[in-house]
Amino acid sequence: MLDADFATSFLSSAVLPLLRCVARMTHVIIYTSLKFHQLYVWSLCACVYASHEHCFPIFLTSKGIAAVKNPRQLHQGEQDQLCVPKFGFSTIFHPKKGFHGVSIRKPAWSLERFDAGIESSKSGNVRPATEPYTDEAIQAVKSGKVIAVPTDTLYGFACDACSVEAVNRIYEIKGRKHTSPLAICVGDINHIPRFAVTTHLPPGLLDSLLPGPVTLVLTRGESSILEKSLNAGLDTVGVRIPDFEFIRMIARGSGSALALTSANLSGKPSSLDIKEFKNLWEHCSFVYDGGVLPAGRAGSTIVDLTITGKYKILRPGSAKEETVGILERYSLIDGATG
């Protein structure tokens, strides 16, 4: 553990003079920023500008080193990965004119946020849940990896539902018994018949329910392309199409269905923020951050639609009233009372 007084003395007497010497020899201006985090984390930021067109910031911390060519082109999530605060500097060196005035605009990030990012970047696998990262997520799923993604209800662990190894990995991460079934997620309604039977449902019902915070329990059927090992012993499967475009794009691009379950240890509260399952980040290929989810911890409403003309609510979830209203509008009756 690094003592604060020792760090200050070391920086002042050894590191900073060395950097200034390098700056004089290489025509580089170095800016330093020192801040202590819990009295043992110190950080030193050196911004190296090679021309007025390109800059090469190098950020050294007690946790590691990060370097990028142009921080202005980084997405917010990439900055989070590298712990790189995005500073705005005007031209300070020109090959023909030499050094001239420096104008420093207000930093886009605070030092507090910079220091907080040091710890969160240790796994280096957190990304924003935005379209530019869908290809990366799709490739991870196709290669049998587990990812963490936001939905319209909770954060979930997802993988290729047709990969035995990936599905087993989800059970391992959660510490969950294999007797507890997993739902699947598809990108669009017309994908559902590849995995479950829908021919007995009234026309238009699926379009009224999905996408949304509902899990539909359907019969798998003989034509289902799902692995037999997924929810072994059950002839039904829960199907989701969350009202969250990021996970739907991943499901579409995977060419399969995603096995999907809540991102938490079995028996623990479900997650509305990636920080709530931070202890499990290291087990995921990527963790996609969609911010704090507003739906509450009730999860999706689970409804059994395996019997023609009937429905049965298996879990009230976050949308029971709306779901029941739609089902009864299509003349389905409650199988629990009928």
Side-chain angles (χ1 to χ4, degrees):
M1 186 174 292
L2 189 65
D3 179 77
D5 292 334
F6 171 77
T8 303
S9 175
F10 177 72
L11 285 173
S12 300
S13 62
V15 178
L16 298 186
L18 177 62
L19 288 173
R20 293 191 185 101
C21 179
V22 172
R24 286 194 295 270
M25 292 187 295
T26 59
H27 299 290
V28 171
I29 286 184
I30 296 177
Y31 290 91
T32 62
S33 173
L34 176 64
K35 181 178 174 67
F36 293 98
H37 182 60
Q38 297 178 349
L39 297 181
Y40 64 89
V41 176
W42 58 270
S43 62
L44 178 64
C45 308
C47 295
V48 183
Y49 285 78
S51 75
H52 76 292
E53 293 285 344
H54 301 90
C55 59
F56 301 86
I58 302 172
F59 295 84
L60 299 88
T61 77
S62 59
K63 298 293 186 179
I65 299 174
V68 292
K69 285 190 175 181
N70 191 343
R72 297 178 180 88
Q73 295 177 351
L74 290 178
H75 294 284
Q76 183 71 32
E78 290 171 322
Q79 292 165 355
D80 289 336
Q81 304 311 305
L82 297 173
C83 303
V84 180
K86 185 177 66 178
F87 291 94
F89 291 90
S90 67
T91 302
I92 60 176
F93 175 76
H94 191 280
K96 295 182 179 179
K97 298 179 181 179
F99 289 101
H100 55 87
V102 178
S103 173
I104 303 176
R105 296 189 295 272
K106 182 180 179 181
W109 281 22
S110 67
L111 285 174
E112 287 77 14
R113 192 168 176 189
F114 173 75
D115 288 336
I118 292 175
E119 182 178 356
S120 66
S121 71
K122 282 190 284 189
S123 60
N125 61 348
V126 179
R127 306 283 192 270
T130 55
E131 185 174 358
Y133 294 91
T134 53
D135 287 343
E136 172 189 76
I138 290 167
Q139 292 307 312
V141 168
K142 285 183 173 181
S143 62
K145 305 297 184 181
V146 174
I147 61 175
V149 290
T151 72
D152 53 355
T153 54
L154 308 167
Y155 276 90
F157 292 134
C159 70
D160 183 353
C162 293
S163 168
V164 177
E165 294 79 7
V167 169
N168 287 337
R169 181 64 177 150
I170 281 186
Y171 279 106
E172 292 173 3
I173 293 172
K174 286 180 64 74
R176 184 174 184 172
K177 296 180 180 179
H178 281 69
T179 52
S180 299
L182 299 180
I184 65 170
C185 167
V186 297
D188 297 289
I189 291 171
N190 60 355
H191 298 163
I192 297 177
R194 298 175 61 201
F195 308 98
V197 176
T198 62
T199 52
H200 64 296
L201 299 176
L205 176 61
L206 293 179
D207 296 277
S208 297
L209 291 170
L210 302 170
V214 183
T215 300
L216 306 182
V217 177
L218 300 167
T219 303
R220 290 167 70 140
E222 294 298 324
S223 62
S224 174
I225 67 172
L226 288 174
E227 283 288 331
K228 299 297 183 183
S229 59
L230 179 71
N231 305 338
L234 296 177
D235 61 356
T236 59
V237 63
V239 180
R240 285 220 64 197
I241 304 181
D243 191 10
F244 202 111
E245 189 61 21
F246 183 72
I247 189 173
R248 294 179 65 189
M249 288 190 291
I250 297 171
R252 292 186 196 110
S254 71
S256 180
L258 303 178
L260 183 65
T261 184
S262 58
N264 56 282
L265 288 172
S266 184
K268 299 297 183 181
S270 50
S271 301
L272 300 175
D273 188 316
I274 64 169
K275 296 182 182 68
E276 296 177 346
F277 61 96
K278 188 174 181 179
N279 58 320
L280 303 177
W281 289 3
E282 62 182 307
H283 303 296
C284 301
S285 180
F286 297 106
V287 176
Y288 292 98
D289 188 357
V292 178
L293 304 180
R297 300 185 194 277
S300 64
T301 296
I302 303 178
V303 55
D304 187 331
L305 294 178
T306 56
I307 300 176
T308 303
K310 294 185 178 181
Y311 73 87
K312 184 177 181 180
I313 300 296
L314 304 181
R315 183 177 74 185
S318 60
K320 178 184 176 181
E321 291 184 8
E322 297 88 338
T323 301
V324 169
I326 293 171
L327 295 169
E328 293 183 349
R329 192 164 71 241
Y330 281 85
S331 302
L332 272 67
I333 61 174
D334 188 350
T337 58

